[in-house]
Amino acid sequence: MHVFDVFSIIGTIAFAMSGAFVAMEEEYDILGVVVLGLVTAFGGGIIRNVLIGVPVTTLWGQGDLIMLAMISVFVAFVLPLGLIQHWKKTEALFDAIGLSAFAIQGALYATQMNHPMSAVIVAAVLTGSGGGMVRDLLAGRKPLVLRDEIYAVWAMIAGVAIGLGVATKTWELLTLFVVVIVFRMLSVLYKWRLPRRSLQEGHPAAASGKKVSSG
């Protein structure tokens, strides 16, 4: 099995279960749970394929991954409530695993097609975070990638490392996989955030800076 396939499997399981749990939080029925799980697992890859010129229909050639995602969603749906509550405490870890696995997978995909660095980075970011963005939008939430602790930055770094040829061997890719997860979790633990600005007076983001003159 190629390392590319390993990252696909890891990302599919992590994101399918993530989507399923979000759907259950929003009290969706079983169909909604399945849809959100599949969208989270494959949404980023579909968006990536559209942008880098891969036919969207290649998705239907991934029958094994689709079945794996369906099984993951089913497992998430039938888990006892106690285990689901325990999972909630490690939700960020599952999300970090999916982000890292799919970011690396997307970057590898783009490099195999001999795309330039810019396309490799875009492929890494969209594959790693695209499915989660679609998941959050369908669940009526603000996308995590646009509001929470540093998120897509780690996918970008993975794309740069692969695009520059820093990580090419299997052990290097696995090391990169772990590094992205660790830094994503550190950003959650210490609440690292990108600079932000609010236009509402009294908002915490605005209160930390100076008031801007209007004229």
Side-chain angles (χ1 to χ4, degrees):
M1 180 180 292
H2 191 273
V3 65
F4 181 94
D5 300 319
V6 173
F7 287 120
S8 296
I9 290 172
I10 295 173
T12 297
I13 294 173
F15 271 172
M17 295 190 73
S18 172
F21 286 130
V22 168
M24 286 188 282
E25 282 183 354
E26 299 298 327
E27 300 184 353
Y28 286 10
D29 60 20
I30 180 61
L31 178 59
V33 173
V34 171
V35 169
L36 218 58
L38 293 179
V39 163
T40 308
F42 298 104
I46 292 174
I47 297 173
R48 174 205 64 208
N49 288 354
V50 170
L51 290 181
I52 67 175
V54 177
V56 178
T57 52
T58 56
L59 172 66
W60 307 122
Q62 299 178 317
D64 292 341
L65 287 179
I66 293 176
M67 183 59 65
L68 179 63
M70 292 288 291
I71 293 172
S72 301
V73 169
F74 177 75
V75 169
F77 189 76
V78 300
L79 278 177
L81 185 59
L83 287 179
I84 294 178
Q85 294 299 330
H86 177 71
W87 176 88
K88 284 294 298 174
K89 299 178 181 178
T90 58
E91 179 178 6
L93 178 60
F94 269 78
D95 209 61
I97 292 172
L99 170 72
S100 182
F102 272 169
I104 293 173
Q105 184 237 47
L108 289 172
Y109 211 112
T111 53
Q112 288 178 358
M113 296 181 66
N114 297 315
H115 283 303
M117 173 66 76
S118 57
V120 174
I121 295 174
V122 169
V125 172
L126 289 180
T127 312
S129 59
M133 290 179 67
V134 177
R135 172 201 65 200
D136 292 341
L137 290 173
L138 290 178
R141 301 179 174 186
K142 293 180 180 179
L144 178 72
V145 64
L146 301 178
R147 64 176 172 82
D148 208 352
E149 299 87 358
I150 299 174
Y151 189 87
V153 171
W154 308 125
M156 294 174 65
I157 291 174
V160 170
I162 292 173
L164 291 176
V166 175
T168 55
K169 299 178 181 178
T170 299
W171 72 268
E172 293 173 337
L173 292 170
L174 291 175
T175 301
L176 180 62
F177 171 66
V178 173
V179 167
V180 172
I181 293 175
V182 169
F183 275 95
R184 166 57 187 156
M185 294 308 296
L186 286 174
S187 68
V188 172
L189 179 62
Y190 294 107
K191 300 188 183 301
W192 296 341
R193 297 179 182 271
L194 293 174
R196 63 177 65 187
R197 181 186 178 194
S198 172
L199 298 182
Q200 299 178 8
E201 293 186 8
H203 190 278
S208 60
K210 295 181 180 180
K211 184 176 179 180
V212 179
S213 175
S214 61

